[in-house]
Amino acid sequence: MTIGRTRKPLSPTEVAAIEAAMDRHAVTVLPGQDITDKQQLAFSRNFGPLEEGANSGARDSELRLPVVFADVSNLDKEGRIAERNNKKRMAALGNRLWHTDASFRVVPARYSILSGRIVPGEGPDTEFADMRAAYDALDARTKAEIADLVCEHSLIYSRGQLGFTEFLPTERVAMQPVRQRLVRCHPVTGRKSLFLASHIGAIVGWPRPEAMAFIRDLIEHATQPQFVYVHKWTPFDLVIWDNRTTMHRVRRFDDLNIVRDVRRTTTKSDGPTAAQEAA
């Protein structure tokens, strides 16, 4: 597939080519895309409506970028490297856990589109795990056991794993758990995949300790090296991944001394994967 600079509007043929690549590979890298925020937004809207409010752990007054972006840089609102105890930085440490973007929303994410504006040569890498291949490799008994399971997802669960609990009461209301199926079927290819994330804190109908032990086993299975692609960033990479069929995580780097400016836009899936609990 050949895609030029994404500064210009994509043709229908180019949009279809990217979607076909995503359906096949789940992660697509477009190198050399030196684009503006406006151009990234225009590119992203080719693939569905955008998520907003993705900057968990940061008040609106603390945001460096508009709410339609997830600011996954290590910069504060003044454009300086964030201090070690900066709340946004603390919450963002959860990105080092294996996760799926926006699985904690009733309508979860389709594509994440991450633009590498300032990318240090020292890393960090981003790792992607193929949830289709991980599902295929399960034994028949496990596939039968998980076929109809529903999990509860929340940012409170993933951040809580790291000891981050500094949420306001209003934030806790907004972060109430949502339900997602553990097994998904891709709407185009028909392939089944695991829908895993560190945001999972329960399996409906299971005792929590048993549920969390089982989810840990599944994540360990799904992130074995044979299922993982490691992306080593170069300046102005534009990396797209399908949250319906992958998990990912960013690796640790010297974020207290080296600037990393990467900006994510995220499109929504077609709808919920599971019915929600009645209010």
PDB file of all heavy atoms in Angstrom, residues 226-261:
ATOM      1  N   GLN A 226       5.342 -14.314  20.451  1.00  0.00           N
ATOM      2  CA  GLN A 226       4.891 -14.672  19.098  1.00  0.00           C
ATOM      3  C   GLN A 226       3.659 -13.881  18.658  1.00  0.00           C
ATOM      4  O   GLN A 226       3.325 -13.860  17.471  1.00  0.00           O
ATOM      5  CB  GLN A 226       4.597 -16.170  18.998  1.00  0.00           C
ATOM      6  CG  GLN A 226       3.470 -16.682  19.874  1.00  0.00           C
ATOM      7  CD  GLN A 226       3.973 -17.257  21.189  1.00  0.00           C
ATOM      8  OE1 GLN A 226       4.942 -16.757  21.762  1.00  0.00           O
ATOM      9  NE2 GLN A 226       3.315 -18.311  21.649  1.00  0.00           N
ATOM     10  N   PHE A 227       2.982 -13.205  19.602  1.00  0.00           N
ATOM     11  CA  PHE A 227       1.804 -12.422  19.263  1.00  0.00           C
ATOM     12  C   PHE A 227       2.085 -10.916  19.225  1.00  0.00           C
ATOM     13  O   PHE A 227       1.163 -10.128  18.980  1.00  0.00           O
ATOM     14  CB  PHE A 227       0.681 -12.675  20.280  1.00  0.00           C
ATOM     15  CG  PHE A 227       0.298 -14.121  20.448  1.00  0.00           C
ATOM     16  CD1 PHE A 227       0.101 -14.662  21.717  1.00  0.00           C
ATOM     17  CD2 PHE A 227       0.118 -14.941  19.352  1.00  0.00           C
ATOM     18  CE1 PHE A 227      -0.244 -15.991  21.874  1.00  0.00           C
ATOM     19  CE2 PHE A 227      -0.233 -16.275  19.501  1.00  0.00           C
ATOM     20  CZ  PHE A 227      -0.412 -16.807  20.767  1.00  0.00           C
ATOM     21  N   VAL A 228       3.326 -10.513  19.478  1.00  0.00           N
ATOM     22  CA  VAL A 228       3.629  -9.102  19.725  1.00  0.00           C
ATOM     23  C   VAL A 228       4.493  -8.494  18.620  1.00  0.00           C
ATOM     24  O   VAL A 228       5.488  -9.093  18.191  1.00  0.00           O
ATOM     25  CB  VAL A 228       4.332  -8.931  21.092  1.00  0.00           C
ATOM     26  CG1 VAL A 228       4.799  -7.490  21.304  1.00  0.00           C
ATOM     27  CG2 VAL A 228       3.387  -9.342  22.219  1.00  0.00           C
ATOM     28  N   TYR A 229       4.103  -7.291  18.178  1.00  0.00           N
ATOM     29  CA  TYR A 229       4.912  -6.457  17.292  1.00  0.00           C
ATOM     30  C   TYR A 229       5.454  -5.286  18.107  1.00  0.00           C
ATOM     31  O   TYR A 229       4.693  -4.618  18.823  1.00  0.00           O
ATOM     32  CB  TYR A 229       4.081  -5.925  16.128  1.00  0.00           C
ATOM     33  CG  TYR A 229       4.681  -4.707  15.444  1.00  0.00           C
ATOM     34  CD1 TYR A 229       5.882  -4.802  14.728  1.00  0.00           C
ATOM     35  CD2 TYR A 229       4.060  -3.454  15.529  1.00  0.00           C
ATOM     36  CE1 TYR A 229       6.440  -3.685  14.115  1.00  0.00           C
ATOM     37  CE2 TYR A 229       4.611  -2.339  14.908  1.00  0.00           C
ATOM     38  CZ  TYR A 229       5.805  -2.463  14.213  1.00  0.00           C
ATOM     39  OH  TYR A 229       6.358  -1.360  13.609  1.00  0.00           O
ATOM     40  N   VAL A 230       6.751  -5.027  18.010  1.00  0.00           N
ATOM     41  CA  VAL A 230       7.389  -3.928  18.729  1.00  0.00           C
ATOM     42  C   VAL A 230       7.683  -2.810  17.737  1.00  0.00           C
ATOM     43  O   VAL A 230       8.450  -3.004  16.788  1.00  0.00           O
ATOM     44  CB  VAL A 230       8.691  -4.393  19.420  1.00  0.00           C
ATOM     45  CG1 VAL A 230       9.344  -3.212  20.154  1.00  0.00           C
ATOM     46  CG2 VAL A 230       8.408  -5.542  20.388  1.00  0.00           C
ATOM     47  N   HIS A 231       7.076  -1.654  17.960  1.00  0.00           N
ATOM     48  CA  HIS A 231       7.319  -0.515  17.065  1.00  0.00           C
ATOM     49  C   HIS A 231       8.375   0.406  17.658  1.00  0.00           C
ATOM     50  O   HIS A 231       8.221   0.925  18.769  1.00  0.00           O
ATOM     51  CB  HIS A 231       6.048   0.284  16.820  1.00  0.00           C
ATOM     52  CG  HIS A 231       6.266   1.413  15.853  1.00  0.00           C
ATOM     53  ND1 HIS A 231       6.563   1.196  14.524  1.00  0.00           N
ATOM     54  CD2 HIS A 231       6.296   2.760  16.025  1.00  0.00           C
ATOM     55  CE1 HIS A 231       6.733   2.351  13.917  1.00  0.00           C
ATOM     56  NE2 HIS A 231       6.592   3.317  14.804  1.00  0.00           N
ATOM     57  N   LYS A 232       9.434   0.609  16.902  1.00  0.00           N
ATOM     58  CA  LYS A 232      10.498   1.531  17.271  1.00  0.00           C
ATOM     59  C   LYS A 232      10.272   2.827  16.493  1.00  0.00           C
ATOM     60  O   LYS A 232      10.366   2.859  15.269  1.00  0.00           O
ATOM     61  CB  LYS A 232      11.867   0.922  16.962  1.00  0.00           C
ATOM     62  CG  LYS A 232      12.127  -0.336  17.783  1.00  0.00           C
ATOM     63  CD  LYS A 232      13.542  -0.846  17.603  1.00  0.00           C
ATOM     64  CE  LYS A 232      13.780  -2.067  18.488  1.00  0.00           C
ATOM     65  NZ  LYS A 232      13.696  -1.742  19.923  1.00  0.00           N
ATOM     66  N   TRP A 233       9.972   3.883  17.213  1.00  0.00           N
ATOM     67  CA  TRP A 233       9.522   5.125  16.611  1.00  0.00           C
ATOM     68  C   TRP A 233      10.633   5.869  15.888  1.00  0.00           C
ATOM     69  O   TRP A 233      11.776   5.908  16.340  1.00  0.00           O
ATOM     70  CB  TRP A 233       8.936   6.029  17.688  1.00  0.00           C
ATOM     71  CG  TRP A 233       7.604   5.562  18.175  1.00  0.00           C
ATOM     72  CD1 TRP A 233       7.366   4.632  19.147  1.00  0.00           C
ATOM     73  CD2 TRP A 233       6.334   5.994  17.712  1.00  0.00           C
ATOM     74  NE1 TRP A 233       6.014   4.453  19.316  1.00  0.00           N
ATOM     75  CE2 TRP A 233       5.356   5.285  18.451  1.00  0.00           C
ATOM     76  CE3 TRP A 233       5.923   6.916  16.755  1.00  0.00           C
ATOM     77  CZ2 TRP A 233       3.996   5.471  18.247  1.00  0.00           C
ATOM     78  CZ3 TRP A 233       4.568   7.106  16.556  1.00  0.00           C
ATOM     79  CH2 TRP A 233       3.621   6.384  17.291  1.00  0.00           C
ATOM     80  N   THR A 234      10.269   6.471  14.766  1.00  0.00           N
ATOM     81  CA  THR A 234      11.103   7.458  14.103  1.00  0.00           C
ATOM     82  C   THR A 234      10.270   8.736  13.972  1.00  0.00           C
ATOM     83  O   THR A 234       9.024   8.686  14.009  1.00  0.00           O
ATOM     84  CB  THR A 234      11.567   6.980  12.717  1.00  0.00           C
ATOM     85  OG1 THR A 234      10.420   6.709  11.900  1.00  0.00           O
ATOM     86  CG2 THR A 234      12.410   5.723  12.837  1.00  0.00           C
ATOM     87  N   PRO A 235      10.918   9.903  13.840  1.00  0.00           N
ATOM     88  CA  PRO A 235      10.161  11.162  13.807  1.00  0.00           C
ATOM     89  C   PRO A 235       9.074  11.166  12.741  1.00  0.00           C
ATOM     90  O   PRO A 235       9.286  10.738  11.604  1.00  0.00           O
ATOM     91  CB  PRO A 235      11.247  12.205  13.512  1.00  0.00           C
ATOM     92  CG  PRO A 235      12.487  11.617  14.106  1.00  0.00           C
ATOM     93  CD  PRO A 235      12.369  10.132  13.833  1.00  0.00           C
ATOM     94  N   PHE A 236       7.905  11.630  13.156  1.00  0.00           N
ATOM     95  CA  PHE A 236       6.732  11.833  12.296  1.00  0.00           C
ATOM     96  C   PHE A 236       6.092  10.537  11.819  1.00  0.00           C
ATOM     97  O   PHE A 236       5.335  10.538  10.845  1.00  0.00           O
ATOM     98  CB  PHE A 236       7.064  12.754  11.109  1.00  0.00           C
ATOM     99  CG  PHE A 236       7.660  14.062  11.546  1.00  0.00           C
ATOM    100  CD1 PHE A 236       8.936  14.424  11.153  1.00  0.00           C
ATOM    101  CD2 PHE A 236       6.947  14.912  12.379  1.00  0.00           C
ATOM    102  CE1 PHE A 236       9.498  15.623  11.563  1.00  0.00           C
ATOM    103  CE2 PHE A 236       7.502  16.108  12.804  1.00  0.00           C
ATOM    104  CZ  PHE A 236       8.781  16.471  12.398  1.00  0.00           C
ATOM    105  N   ASP A 237       6.371   9.431  12.501  1.00  0.00           N
ATOM    106  CA  ASP A 237       5.566   8.232  12.265  1.00  0.00           C
ATOM    107  C   ASP A 237       4.116   8.532  12.622  1.00  0.00           C
ATOM    108  O   ASP A 237       3.820   9.209  13.623  1.00  0.00           O
ATOM    109  CB  ASP A 237       6.034   7.065  13.145  1.00  0.00           C
ATOM    110  CG  ASP A 237       7.283   6.388  12.628  1.00  0.00           C
ATOM    111  OD1 ASP A 237       7.694   6.672  11.494  1.00  0.00           O
ATOM    112  OD2 ASP A 237       7.848   5.562  13.384  1.00  0.00           O
ATOM    113  N   LEU A 238       3.209   8.017  11.823  1.00  0.00           N
ATOM    114  CA  LEU A 238       1.790   8.004  12.165  1.00  0.00           C
ATOM    115  C   LEU A 238       1.400   6.537  12.269  1.00  0.00           C
ATOM    116  O   LEU A 238       1.439   5.806  11.278  1.00  0.00           O
ATOM    117  CB  LEU A 238       0.962   8.710  11.087  1.00  0.00           C
ATOM    118  CG  LEU A 238      -0.493   9.018  11.458  1.00  0.00           C
ATOM    119  CD1 LEU A 238      -0.569  10.105  12.529  1.00  0.00           C
ATOM    120  CD2 LEU A 238      -1.286   9.451  10.222  1.00  0.00           C
ATOM    121  N   VAL A 239       1.076   6.102  13.477  1.00  0.00           N
ATOM    122  CA  VAL A 239       0.786   4.693  13.734  1.00  0.00           C
ATOM    123  C   VAL A 239      -0.699   4.554  14.050  1.00  0.00           C
ATOM    124  O   VAL A 239      -1.235   5.267  14.901  1.00  0.00           O
ATOM    125  CB  VAL A 239       1.649   4.148  14.893  1.00  0.00           C
ATOM    126  CG1 VAL A 239       1.333   2.673  15.147  1.00  0.00           C
ATOM    127  CG2 VAL A 239       3.134   4.328  14.586  1.00  0.00           C
ATOM    128  N   ILE A 240      -1.336   3.641  13.341  1.00  0.00           N
ATOM    129  CA  ILE A 240      -2.769   3.395  13.505  1.00  0.00           C
ATOM    130  C   ILE A 240      -2.947   1.966  13.996  1.00  0.00           C
ATOM    131  O   ILE A 240      -2.321   1.045  13.465  1.00  0.00           O
ATOM    132  CB  ILE A 240      -3.510   3.560  12.166  1.00  0.00           C
ATOM    133  CG1 ILE A 240      -3.082   4.840  11.451  1.00  0.00           C
ATOM    134  CG2 ILE A 240      -5.024   3.534  12.379  1.00  0.00           C
ATOM    135  CD1 ILE A 240      -3.564   4.914  10.012  1.00  0.00           C
ATOM    136  N   TRP A 241      -3.779   1.777  15.009  1.00  0.00           N
ATOM    137  CA  TRP A 241      -4.074   0.411  15.440  1.00  0.00           C
ATOM    138  C   TRP A 241      -5.554   0.253  15.716  1.00  0.00           C
ATOM    139  O   TRP A 241      -6.265   1.196  16.024  1.00  0.00           O
ATOM    140  CB  TRP A 241      -3.240  -0.002  16.652  1.00  0.00           C
ATOM    141  CG  TRP A 241      -3.449   0.774  17.919  1.00  0.00           C
ATOM    142  CD1 TRP A 241      -4.331   0.511  18.930  1.00  0.00           C
ATOM    143  CD2 TRP A 241      -2.716   1.939  18.333  1.00  0.00           C
ATOM    144  NE1 TRP A 241      -4.206   1.433  19.943  1.00  0.00           N
ATOM    145  CE2 TRP A 241      -3.221   2.312  19.601  1.00  0.00           C
ATOM    146  CE3 TRP A 241      -1.679   2.689  17.769  1.00  0.00           C
ATOM    147  CZ2 TRP A 241      -2.722   3.419  20.310  1.00  0.00           C
ATOM    148  CZ3 TRP A 241      -1.191   3.789  18.459  1.00  0.00           C
ATOM    149  CH2 TRP A 241      -1.708   4.141  19.713  1.00  0.00           C
ATOM    150  N   ASP A 242      -6.004  -0.974  15.560  1.00  0.00           N
ATOM    151  CA  ASP A 242      -7.411  -1.325  15.737  1.00  0.00           C
ATOM    152  C   ASP A 242      -7.587  -1.865  17.152  1.00  0.00           C
ATOM    153  O   ASP A 242      -7.100  -2.951  17.484  1.00  0.00           O
ATOM    154  CB  ASP A 242      -7.816  -2.376  14.699  1.00  0.00           C
ATOM    155  CG  ASP A 242      -9.323  -2.590  14.641  1.00  0.00           C
ATOM    156  OD1 ASP A 242     -10.011  -2.310  15.643  1.00  0.00           O
ATOM    157  OD2 ASP A 242      -9.806  -3.050  13.584  1.00  0.00           O
ATOM    158  N   ASN A 243      -8.294  -1.103  17.992  1.00  0.00           N
ATOM    159  CA  ASN A 243      -8.500  -1.508  19.380  1.00  0.00           C
ATOM    160  C   ASN A 243      -9.434  -2.702  19.527  1.00  0.00           C
ATOM    161  O   ASN A 243      -9.502  -3.310  20.587  1.00  0.00           O
ATOM    162  CB  ASN A 243      -9.051  -0.322  20.185  1.00  0.00           C
ATOM    163  CG  ASN A 243      -8.018   0.758  20.385  1.00  0.00           C
ATOM    164  OD1 ASN A 243      -7.097   0.621  21.173  1.00  0.00           O
ATOM    165  ND2 ASN A 243      -8.169   1.849  19.647  1.00  0.00           N
ATOM    166  N   ARG A 244     -10.123  -3.055  18.460  1.00  0.00           N
ATOM    167  CA  ARG A 244     -11.009  -4.222  18.501  1.00  0.00           C
ATOM    168  C   ARG A 244     -10.227  -5.524  18.417  1.00  0.00           C
ATOM    169  O   ARG A 244     -10.752  -6.579  18.787  1.00  0.00           O
ATOM    170  CB  ARG A 244     -12.018  -4.142  17.353  1.00  0.00           C
ATOM    171  CG  ARG A 244     -12.895  -2.906  17.386  1.00  0.00           C
ATOM    172  CD  ARG A 244     -13.677  -2.719  16.105  1.00  0.00           C
ATOM    173  NE  ARG A 244     -12.803  -2.559  14.944  1.00  0.00           N
ATOM    174  CZ  ARG A 244     -13.235  -2.366  13.703  1.00  0.00           C
ATOM    175  NH1 ARG A 244     -14.541  -2.305  13.466  1.00  0.00           N
ATOM    176  NH2 ARG A 244     -12.386  -2.235  12.705  1.00  0.00           N
ATOM    177  N   THR A 245      -8.978  -5.435  17.939  1.00  0.00           N
ATOM    178  CA  THR A 245      -8.216  -6.669  17.688  1.00  0.00           C
ATOM    179  C   THR A 245      -6.793  -6.629  18.240  1.00  0.00           C
ATOM    180  O   THR A 245      -6.005  -7.531  17.951  1.00  0.00           O
ATOM    181  CB  THR A 245      -8.152  -6.944  16.169  1.00  0.00           C
ATOM    182  OG1 THR A 245      -7.636  -5.781  15.503  1.00  0.00           O
ATOM    183  CG2 THR A 245      -9.525  -7.275  15.607  1.00  0.00           C
ATOM    184  N   THR A 246      -6.449  -5.595  19.010  1.00  0.00           N
ATOM    185  CA  THR A 246      -5.108  -5.507  19.592  1.00  0.00           C
ATOM    186  C   THR A 246      -5.179  -5.028  21.029  1.00  0.00           C
ATOM    187  O   THR A 246      -6.157  -4.407  21.456  1.00  0.00           O
ATOM    188  CB  THR A 246      -4.202  -4.523  18.826  1.00  0.00           C
ATOM    189  OG1 THR A 246      -4.752  -3.200  18.928  1.00  0.00           O
ATOM    190  CG2 THR A 246      -4.052  -4.905  17.364  1.00  0.00           C
ATOM    191  N   MET A 247      -4.112  -5.307  21.773  1.00  0.00           N
ATOM    192  CA  MET A 247      -3.766  -4.585  22.991  1.00  0.00           C
ATOM    193  C   MET A 247      -2.420  -3.924  22.736  1.00  0.00           C
ATOM    194  O   MET A 247      -1.672  -4.332  21.848  1.00  0.00           O
ATOM    195  CB  MET A 247      -3.633  -5.507  24.208  1.00  0.00           C
ATOM    196  CG  MET A 247      -4.903  -5.739  24.979  1.00  0.00           C
ATOM    197  SD  MET A 247      -4.588  -6.342  26.673  1.00  0.00           S
ATOM    198  CE  MET A 247      -3.548  -7.774  26.392  1.00  0.00           C
ATOM    199  N   HIS A 248      -2.080  -2.932  23.561  1.00  0.00           N
ATOM    200  CA  HIS A 248      -0.788  -2.276  23.411  1.00  0.00           C
ATOM    201  C   HIS A 248      -0.309  -1.739  24.754  1.00  0.00           C
ATOM    202  O   HIS A 248      -1.071  -1.653  25.723  1.00  0.00           O
ATOM    203  CB  HIS A 248      -0.865  -1.142  22.379  1.00  0.00           C
ATOM    204  CG  HIS A 248      -1.757  -0.009  22.795  1.00  0.00           C
ATOM    205  ND1 HIS A 248      -3.124  -0.056  22.689  1.00  0.00           N
ATOM    206  CD2 HIS A 248      -1.474   1.202  23.333  1.00  0.00           C
ATOM    207  CE1 HIS A 248      -3.650   1.060  23.134  1.00  0.00           C
ATOM    208  NE2 HIS A 248      -2.661   1.861  23.537  1.00  0.00           N
ATOM    209  N   ARG A 249       0.950  -1.380  24.776  1.00  0.00           N
ATOM    210  CA  ARG A 249       1.524  -0.682  25.926  1.00  0.00           C
ATOM    211  C   ARG A 249       2.760   0.080  25.461  1.00  0.00           C
ATOM    212  O   ARG A 249       3.404  -0.278  24.464  1.00  0.00           O
ATOM    213  CB  ARG A 249       1.916  -1.657  27.042  1.00  0.00           C
ATOM    214  CG  ARG A 249       3.063  -2.599  26.700  1.00  0.00           C
ATOM    215  CD  ARG A 249       3.448  -3.454  27.896  1.00  0.00           C
ATOM    216  NE  ARG A 249       4.521  -4.395  27.553  1.00  0.00           N
ATOM    217  CZ  ARG A 249       5.067  -5.250  28.422  1.00  0.00           C
ATOM    218  NH1 ARG A 249       4.645  -5.289  29.677  1.00  0.00           N
ATOM    219  NH2 ARG A 249       6.035  -6.073  28.030  1.00  0.00           N
ATOM    220  N   VAL A 250       3.091   1.153  26.188  1.00  0.00           N
ATOM    221  CA  VAL A 250       4.320   1.895  25.930  1.00  0.00           C
ATOM    222  C   VAL A 250       5.345   1.460  26.966  1.00  0.00           C
ATOM    223  O   VAL A 250       4.996   1.156  28.112  1.00  0.00           O
ATOM    224  CB  VAL A 250       4.074   3.422  25.991  1.00  0.00           C
ATOM    225  CG1 VAL A 250       3.690   3.883  27.394  1.00  0.00           C
ATOM    226  CG2 VAL A 250       5.293   4.193  25.482  1.00  0.00           C
ATOM    227  N   ARG A 251       6.581   1.417  26.580  1.00  0.00           N
ATOM    228  CA  ARG A 251       7.647   0.993  27.490  1.00  0.00           C
ATOM    229  C   ARG A 251       8.214   2.194  28.245  1.00  0.00           C
ATOM    230  O   ARG A 251       8.084   3.339  27.825  1.00  0.00           O
ATOM    231  CB  ARG A 251       8.761   0.272  26.720  1.00  0.00           C
ATOM    232  CG  ARG A 251       8.265  -0.897  25.894  1.00  0.00           C
ATOM    233  CD  ARG A 251       7.487  -1.913  26.719  1.00  0.00           C
ATOM    234  NE  ARG A 251       8.368  -2.718  27.539  1.00  0.00           N
ATOM    235  CZ  ARG A 251       8.031  -3.232  28.731  1.00  0.00           C
ATOM    236  NH1 ARG A 251       6.857  -2.973  29.271  1.00  0.00           N
ATOM    237  NH2 ARG A 251       8.875  -3.990  29.381  1.00  0.00           N
ATOM    238  N   ARG A 252       8.864   1.912  29.345  1.00  0.00           N
ATOM    239  CA  ARG A 252       9.424   2.960  30.201  1.00  0.00           C
ATOM    240  C   ARG A 252      10.598   3.652  29.507  1.00  0.00           C
ATOM    241  O   ARG A 252      11.348   3.026  28.775  1.00  0.00           O
ATOM    242  CB  ARG A 252       9.894   2.336  31.518  1.00  0.00           C
ATOM    243  CG  ARG A 252      10.351   3.336  32.567  1.00  0.00           C
ATOM    244  CD  ARG A 252      10.662   2.615  33.874  1.00  0.00           C
ATOM    245  NE  ARG A 252      11.010   3.547  34.931  1.00  0.00           N
ATOM    246  CZ  ARG A 252      12.242   3.950  35.217  1.00  0.00           C
ATOM    247  NH1 ARG A 252      13.276   3.488  34.515  1.00  0.00           N
ATOM    248  NH2 ARG A 252      12.469   4.812  36.196  1.00  0.00           N
ATOM    249  N   PHE A 253      10.719   4.970  29.740  1.00  0.00           N
ATOM    250  CA  PHE A 253      11.888   5.711  29.262  1.00  0.00           C
ATOM    251  C   PHE A 253      12.149   6.855  30.231  1.00  0.00           C
ATOM    252  O   PHE A 253      11.413   7.043  31.210  1.00  0.00           O
ATOM    253  CB  PHE A 253      11.684   6.211  27.826  1.00  0.00           C
ATOM    254  CG  PHE A 253      10.818   7.448  27.705  1.00  0.00           C
ATOM    255  CD1 PHE A 253      11.377   8.658  27.324  1.00  0.00           C
ATOM    256  CD2 PHE A 253       9.456   7.397  27.962  1.00  0.00           C
ATOM    257  CE1 PHE A 253      10.589   9.797  27.202  1.00  0.00           C
ATOM    258  CE2 PHE A 253       8.659   8.531  27.841  1.00  0.00           C
ATOM    259  CZ  PHE A 253       9.228   9.735  27.464  1.00  0.00           C
ATOM    260  N   ASP A 254      13.186   7.629  29.983  1.00  0.00           N
ATOM    261  CA  ASP A 254      13.588   8.703  30.891  1.00  0.00           C
ATOM    262  C   ASP A 254      12.699   9.924  30.667  1.00  0.00           C
ATOM    263  O   ASP A 254      13.123  10.938  30.113  1.00  0.00           O
ATOM    264  CB  ASP A 254      15.064   9.047  30.678  1.00  0.00           C
ATOM    265  CG  ASP A 254      15.586  10.069  31.690  1.00  0.00           C
ATOM    266  OD1 ASP A 254      14.824  10.430  32.618  1.00  0.00           O
ATOM    267  OD2 ASP A 254      16.732  10.515  31.533  1.00  0.00           O
ATOM    268  N   ASP A 255      11.446   9.822  31.093  1.00  0.00           N
ATOM    269  CA  ASP A 255      10.481  10.876  30.809  1.00  0.00           C
ATOM    270  C   ASP A 255      10.642  12.106  31.690  1.00  0.00           C
ATOM    271  O   ASP A 255       9.937  13.096  31.490  1.00  0.00           O
ATOM    272  CB  ASP A 255       9.054  10.327  30.941  1.00  0.00           C
ATOM    273  CG  ASP A 255       8.689   9.957  32.362  1.00  0.00           C
ATOM    274  OD1 ASP A 255       9.525   9.358  33.061  1.00  0.00           O
ATOM    275  OD2 ASP A 255       7.548  10.268  32.783  1.00  0.00           O
ATOM    276  N   LEU A 256      11.565  12.075  32.644  1.00  0.00           N
ATOM    277  CA  LEU A 256      11.815  13.247  33.474  1.00  0.00           C
ATOM    278  C   LEU A 256      12.897  14.149  32.889  1.00  0.00           C
ATOM    279  O   LEU A 256      13.125  15.255  33.393  1.00  0.00           O
ATOM    280  CB  LEU A 256      12.210  12.818  34.895  1.00  0.00           C
ATOM    281  CG  LEU A 256      11.125  12.055  35.663  1.00  0.00           C
ATOM    282  CD1 LEU A 256      11.649  11.573  36.995  1.00  0.00           C
ATOM    283  CD2 LEU A 256       9.892  12.933  35.870  1.00  0.00           C
ATOM    284  N   ASN A 257      13.550  13.685  31.818  1.00  0.00           N
ATOM    285  CA  ASN A 257      14.641  14.469  31.235  1.00  0.00           C
ATOM    286  C   ASN A 257      14.571  14.605  29.717  1.00  0.00           C
ATOM    287  O   ASN A 257      15.229  15.474  29.161  1.00  0.00           O
ATOM    288  CB  ASN A 257      15.995  13.834  31.601  1.00  0.00           C
ATOM    289  CG  ASN A 257      16.281  13.905  33.088  1.00  0.00           C
ATOM    290  OD1 ASN A 257      16.502  14.990  33.627  1.00  0.00           O
ATOM    291  ND2 ASN A 257      16.260  12.750  33.754  1.00  0.00           N
ATOM    292  N   ILE A 258      13.810  13.758  29.042  1.00  0.00           N
ATOM    293  CA  ILE A 258      13.778  13.737  27.580  1.00  0.00           C
ATOM    294  C   ILE A 258      12.358  14.028  27.098  1.00  0.00           C
ATOM    295  O   ILE A 258      11.402  13.392  27.558  1.00  0.00           O
ATOM    296  CB  ILE A 258      14.243  12.370  27.045  1.00  0.00           C
ATOM    297  CG1 ILE A 258      15.678  12.078  27.496  1.00  0.00           C
ATOM    298  CG2 ILE A 258      14.143  12.324  25.528  1.00  0.00           C
ATOM    299  CD1 ILE A 258      16.138  10.672  27.187  1.00  0.00           C
ATOM    300  N   VAL A 259      12.201  14.972  26.185  1.00  0.00           N
ATOM    301  CA  VAL A 259      10.882  15.346  25.677  1.00  0.00           C
ATOM    302  C   VAL A 259      10.369  14.286  24.706  1.00  0.00           C
ATOM    303  O   VAL A 259      11.095  13.834  23.808  1.00  0.00           O
ATOM    304  CB  VAL A 259      10.936  16.711  24.964  1.00  0.00           C
ATOM    305  CG1 VAL A 259       9.622  16.992  24.224  1.00  0.00           C
ATOM    306  CG2 VAL A 259      11.219  17.823  25.968  1.00  0.00           C
ATOM    307  N   ARG A 260       9.116  13.903  24.885  1.00  0.00           N
ATOM    308  CA  ARG A 260       8.402  13.046  23.932  1.00  0.00           C
ATOM    309  C   ARG A 260       7.030  13.650  23.705  1.00  0.00           C
ATOM    310  O   ARG A 260       6.220  13.737  24.643  1.00  0.00           O
ATOM    311  CB  ARG A 260       8.276  11.616  24.470  1.00  0.00           C
ATOM    312  CG  ARG A 260       7.538  10.654  23.510  1.00  0.00           C
ATOM    313  CD  ARG A 260       7.508   9.250  24.097  1.00  0.00           C
ATOM    314  NE  ARG A 260       6.972   8.282  23.171  1.00  0.00           N
ATOM    315  CZ  ARG A 260       5.755   7.718  23.275  1.00  0.00           C
ATOM    316  NH1 ARG A 260       4.952   8.042  24.272  1.00  0.00           N
ATOM    317  NH2 ARG A 260       5.345   6.815  22.394  1.00  0.00           N
ATOM    318  N   ASP A 261       6.773  14.093  22.491  1.00  0.00           N
ATOM    319  CA  ASP A 261       5.493  14.716  22.163  1.00  0.00           C
ATOM    320  C   ASP A 261       4.778  13.849  21.140  1.00  0.00           C
ATOM    321  O   ASP A 261       5.114  13.833  19.957  1.00  0.00           O
ATOM    322  CB  ASP A 261       5.715  16.126  21.606  1.00  0.00           C
ATOM    323  CG  ASP A 261       4.399  16.880  21.398  1.00  0.00           C
ATOM    324  OD1 ASP A 261       3.327  16.265  21.530  1.00  0.00           O
ATOM    325  OD2 ASP A 261       4.462  18.092  21.097  1.00  0.00           O
TER     326      ASP A 261
END
